[in-house]
Amino acid sequence: MASLTTRERILQSSLALFNAQGLAAVSTHRIAAELGISPGNLHYHFKAKQLIVERLFRRFEERLEELNASTDRVRAIDDLWLTLHLRFEAIDAYRFIYRDMAYLGSEYPALGQRAQALTAGNLLAAKALCETLRATGVIEATAEEAQILALQMVFTTTCWLSFEQLVPGRDALQQADPGLAAFYTLTLISPYVSSESRAYLDYLRGKYLR
Amino acid sequence: MASLTTRERILQSSLALFNAQGLAAVSTHRIAAELGISPGNLHYHFKAKQLIVERLFRRFEERLEELNASTDRVRAIDDLWLTLHLRFEAIDAYRFIYRDMAYLGSEYPALGQRAQALTAGNLLAAKALCETLRATGVIEATAEEAQILALQMVFTTTCWLSFEQLVPGRDALQQADPGLAAFYTLTLISPYVSSESRAYLDYLRGKYLR
DNA sequence: GTCTATATGCGGATAGAC
DNA sequence: GTCTATCCGCATATAGAC
């Protein structure tokens, strides 16, 4: 940790601050102060705040695109559970992006465009995934229902962590539980799950519903 | 329109600008310029930007609480459709609130608290509504499923309009369609709808799914 | 690479004349 | 009620010494 380059330390510190306090609320001075370096030094490594945000956004894109590329290996409910879990971990690690999306899109229009493209990729992957589940009999649904399920899944993975902060009783400081979020997403397909695949869902229900 | 008080014109103009460009991106100078009045004059009517935001938030609260209070009259699918439609119209009219919620909550913590309380009220109303639907046989579901449905409905009504802007193909300038959003929310309960109530859902499906 | 010092601009908010 | 003029603080970004 201490042996990282200053550039990398800036990125990690920025990410932590953006996630904790919001993209708009964190100034470059604040980032520099957090690291114990001067604003001038920070500017040497990143000429503008926008470049920090872009770099972090790029990493987020890469991580999600990697997940999208591997969804074709999902064959059963527990595969689906795992891929959802990994996705929520990724979104949580960069949670400022979806949470502050409106601000991000208006401040940095180019990133707003790329966020749309990323969503398009997520939708494609989710549709392929739901179609596979349908074709292999894990869920019993019409093609139309599978399409809608895919949209619901992308919607949920994208917005759930932001919504959570609106539900009283969840401490904002307490970190999100990707497992709970994944379970919640799975309940979307619950009505369509064929009897043979029911066991794993019931196992999860016992684990997450008290 | 032209005969409104300056105070009211400030509120309406602020709402339009917040919705169009985001709470963070709109300064008090900008609002004054839009109205063709001076920043000093605006300050005479509202001593701080926060007071404008608070007033708008209050109206939003009132409108949603009114809707929450009337959900106990929902007895059938088409009642549900109407109440969802009205809710999406309200959220769309004040769309900056949920869309910029993260920024709003960090800039004005008191409003963040009230947003949580509002969500709690929405959840209570949705739970009562789903329980009624279950008790009257409009949907066939366990008590547990009805609870989860209520959560999904509140989640969807809260976040859908924000998510829509991430889906490519929807022009950001084109105004949201509350009817489509309400239909999308109804698909959540679709798997549970008893055969007698199916007709109205099919009618809507024909209307919104091309 | 890192520092200090500073330029520039903007947004929020205010004072006081009309 | 409305204006002009202005203050203050902050954030981005830069210049130049070490």
Side-chain angles (χ1 to χ4, degrees), chain A residues 1-79:
Chain A
M1 199 74 169
S3 63
L4 293 175
T5 65
T6 300
R7 186 183 158 83
E8 185 57 31
R9 290 203 309 139
I10 291 172
L11 286 171
Q12 294 198 0
S13 214
S14 299
L15 176 57
L17 287 170
F18 291 160
N19 281 341
Q21 296 167 31
L23 180 57
V26 176
S27 68
T28 53
H29 277 150
R30 181 87 184 68
I31 298 168
E34 184 77 12
L35 287 165
I37 68 175
S38 70
N41 188 11
L42 187 145
H43 185 264
Y44 169 79
H45 292 283
F46 291 94
K47 292 212 186 307
K49 180 179 176 179
Q50 174 168 12
L51 297 174
I52 300 177
V53 179
E54 272 173 3
R55 192 70 193 83
L56 292 174
F57 190 89
R58 185 95 201 85
R59 290 185 178 179
F60 180 62
E61 276 177 331
E62 284 164 4
R63 196 152 154 188
L64 279 199
E65 277 160 7
E66 216 169 298
L67 286 175
N68 284 346
S70 65
T71 45
D72 58 350
R73 287 200 287 276
V74 171
R75 287 282 173 276
I77 293 285
D78 54 347
D79 295 337

Side-chain angles (χ1 to χ4, degrees), chain B residues 90-148:
Chain B
I91 294 173
D92 186 47
Y94 294 84
R95 80 191 81 107
F96 83 93
I97 290 181
Y98 281 149
R99 191 194 52 201
D100 302 343
M101 178 54 69
Y103 177 80
L104 188 145
S106 86
E107 200 77 356
Y108 313 114
L111 294 187
Q113 296 285 95
R114 278 161 65 182
Q116 280 198 351
L118 187 55
T119 304
N122 293 340
L123 273 169
L124 274 180
K127 281 178 181 173
L129 186 150
C130 286
E131 191 48 43
T132 302
L133 292 178
R134 198 178 75 84
T136 57
V138 175
I139 63 174
E140 283 160 9
T142 66
E144 180 193 315
E145 285 166 337
Q147 296 285 299
I148 290 184

